[in-house]
Amino acid sequence: MNVSRRTVRLRLAEPLRISRSTTTARDAVRLSIEHEGLHGHGETVTSVYYSLDTATVTHWLDRCGRTLARFADPERALAAVSDQTAGGAGGPVAPGTPPAVTAAVEAALLDLVGKRAGTPVHRLLGTAAAPVVATARTIGITSPGHAATHAARLAGEGFTVIKIKAGSPDPEDDVARVRAVRAAAPQVRLLLDPNGGWSSAAAPTLLGRFAELGVEAVEQPVAPGDPEALARLAARSPLPVIADEDAVGIEDARRLAGRVHGINVKLAKCGGVSAALRIAGLIDGSGTGLMLGCLTTSSLGIAPAVHLADRARWADLDGHLLLAHDPWTGIGGADGTVRASSHPGLGVRPRTPFDGPRSPGPAGGPARGRTREGRVPS
C-alpha cells in the first residue's frame, strides 16, 4: 500500500466563539492510502484543546503511514486497527498515537475497504440502510440579536435542532441568547453547550432556568476533571446532562454509564469508528444515550460518524457546515439533515467547480486556502 498526505487550511464562515476560545480556521491533514488503483481517505484537523498542531498531526500520520505500508492489503490493516482498539497489539497505530490520528487512519482504511468491496461503510458496520438523521446546527456565543437572526434563517432552511454555545462570563448573556433563539425559532429543539463554562455553584440554578426555556439537554455544564461531580449534578438536574470533555474514551464511558443522561462521542476524541462502537455498546441499555459530535472539519472528516448516526439519540454533525468552503461533498446537511451515501466506501468526493459553491455562512463566500502535500517517507 502507498500512503500520502495533504494539508489544507479550512476557514470558518464566521468566527465560532465558545466559553474557552474563538476559532476562525484550522488545518485539515488528509491521509490517503492507495492499493491496486483505489484510494481511501481520512482526515485529522488541528485542535488547540487536544494539543494537535499541524506538525504533530503530520508526524504521527507519517509514522502510521510507514507501518501501514508493510501490510499486504487494507483489509488486514483494518482488522489490526480494530484489534488495537480492543487492546490488541501489532497493528499500524503506534503506542501514544493521538486518538484523532487513529480515527483518520481507520477512516481511510474503511473508505478503501468499502471501495474494494463495492460496499458503503455503513454496511461494513452492519447497517443495511444508509443512515439519515437530523443534525444540530451550532450558534456560537454572540449577541442575542445575531443569534436570533441566525436561528430564524436556519429554521427556514429546514434545521429542526439548534445547539447554542454558552458559558459567557455573565450567565444572563446566555439566558438572553437562548430566549432570543427560542422566540425566533419556536419549533426547533434546543441543545445548550457551555463547554464546562459554568461554576459548580451556579450550575444547578442555571439548569433549572434553561429547563423552563425549553432546552432539551445540556452538554458538559461544568469544568471537566471531576466526573463524579458531573454525575451528581446530572442526578438532580431537571433536564438531561450530556458528558463531553469528561468522557473521552471507553473507561470514561464505563465510569459514567447510567449516571449521566448522555455521552458525546467524537471520533477524533475517542479514536475512531471501532472505539465509538465499543462505547455505544457499553452504554446501550444503561439509561445513558449516545450523542455523536464532531470538530470543525470537512465532509471527509464528518462522513465516518454519519455512517454511525442511526445509533445516536442526538446528532451534532455540522462541522462541515461551519466552513466558508468545504473541499469535500457527499453527506448533505445544508437542509438540516445529514445522509450517509450508498456509494462504496465513505461516499464522499472532492468538490469540483461543477458542484458549485455551497451556500456560505453569514460572513460571506469561500476563502482561498493554502495546500501542502507530501508522501509518507519509507
Side-chain angles (χ1 to χ4, degrees):
M1 293 188 291
N2 297 312
V3 182
S4 62
R5 56 172 166 74
R6 182 183 185 186
T7 302
V8 175
R9 188 70 167 168
L10 301 178
R11 300 190 182 279
L12 277 66
E14 67 173 14
L16 178 64
R17 181 187 167 200
I18 66 174
S19 61
R20 61 175 177 254
S21 63
T22 299
T23 301
T24 59
R26 64 192 347 153
D27 279 352
V29 187
R30 184 186 76 201
L31 175 73
S32 297
I33 306 172
E34 183 274 332
H35 186 70
E36 296 181 345
L38 292 176
H39 294 78
H41 307 290
E43 182 176 273
T44 302
V45 293
T46 54
S47 168
V48 173
Y49 184 78
Y50 292 113
S51 301
L52 288 175
D53 57 20
T54 308
T56 299
V57 171
T58 56
H59 164 78
W60 284 104
L61 283 175
D62 287 353
R63 186 169 175 178
C64 291
R66 288 191 291 270
T67 308
L68 279 168
R70 300 171 191 153
F71 280 80
D73 55 59
E75 288 79 11
R76 292 182 216 188
L78 179 61
V81 171
S82 180
D83 287 344
Q84 282 189 288
T85 300
V93 179
T97 300
V101 172
T102 302
V105 170
E106 185 181 35
L109 289 169
L110 282 166
D111 191 30
L112 183 52
V113 168
K115 288 172 180 174
R116 280 165 57 83
T119 301
V121 164
H122 62 83
R123 289 186 184 167
L124 294 178
L125 303 177
T127 300
V132 178
V133 297
T135 179
R137 181 66 157 79
T138 301
I139 295 177
I141 295 177
T142 185
S143 70
H146 183 78
T149 300
H150 198 174
R153 178 174 63 81
L154 291 174
E157 292 172 353
F159 285 87
T160 58
V161 187
I162 290 176
K163 183 166 91 168
I164 305 168
K165 291 292 186 177
S168 298
D170 183 356
E172 293 304 320
D173 291 342
D174 294 339
V175 173
R177 186 162 49 261
V178 171
R179 281 178 175 156
V181 169
R182 171 53 74 211
Q187 303 304 315
V188 303
R189 297 161 54 199
L190 296 183
L191 304 176
L192 197 64
D193 186 8
N195 289 107
W198 293 348
S199 70
S200 298
T205 299
L206 289 170
L207 287 169
R209 293 183 69 182
F210 287 112
E212 292 173 357
L213 291 174
V215 170
E216 178 177 318
V218 176
E219 287 182 60
Q220 196 68 42
V222 294
D226 189 351
E228 294 300 317
L230 184 68
R232 290 193 297 271
L233 180 64
R236 61 183 189 273
S237 173
L239 48 76
V241 170
I242 301 169
D244 183 359
E245 288 88 344
D246 263 329
V248 176
I250 188 74
E251 292 308 316
D252 295 327
R254 196 185 312 279
R255 184 182 300 112
L256 290 169
R259 306 179 67 203
V260 294
H261 305 90
I263 288 178
N264 186 344
V265 172
K266 299 172 183 166
L267 302 190
K269 179 177 67 171
C270 71
V273 168
S274 295
L277 289 173
R278 289 186 68 214
I279 292 172
L282 173 69
I283 65 176
D284 186 35
S286 71
T288 296
L290 176 67
M291 181 179 195
L292 276 175
C294 63
L295 302 181
T296 304
T297 185
S298 75
S299 289
L300 173 61
I302 300 291
V306 177
H307 283 272
L308 301 174
D310 58 309
R311 296 165 168 84
R313 176 178 173 183
W314 301 278
D316 178 26
L317 300 174
D318 68 337
H320 62 306
L321 302 176
L322 305 180
L323 302 178
H325 173 70
D326 182 357
W328 293 79
T329 186
I331 57 172
D335 61 352
T337 301
V338 289
R339 302 166 177 85
S341 173
S342 59
H343 295 298
L346 291 174
V348 295
R349 57 184 172 83
R351 189 179 295 274
T352 70
F354 300 102
D355 295 317
R358 183 176 57 77
S359 177
R368 297 182 182 273
R370 54 184 170 86
T371 298
R372 299 191 297 278
E373 297 187 58
R375 183 166 297 280
V376 175
S378 58

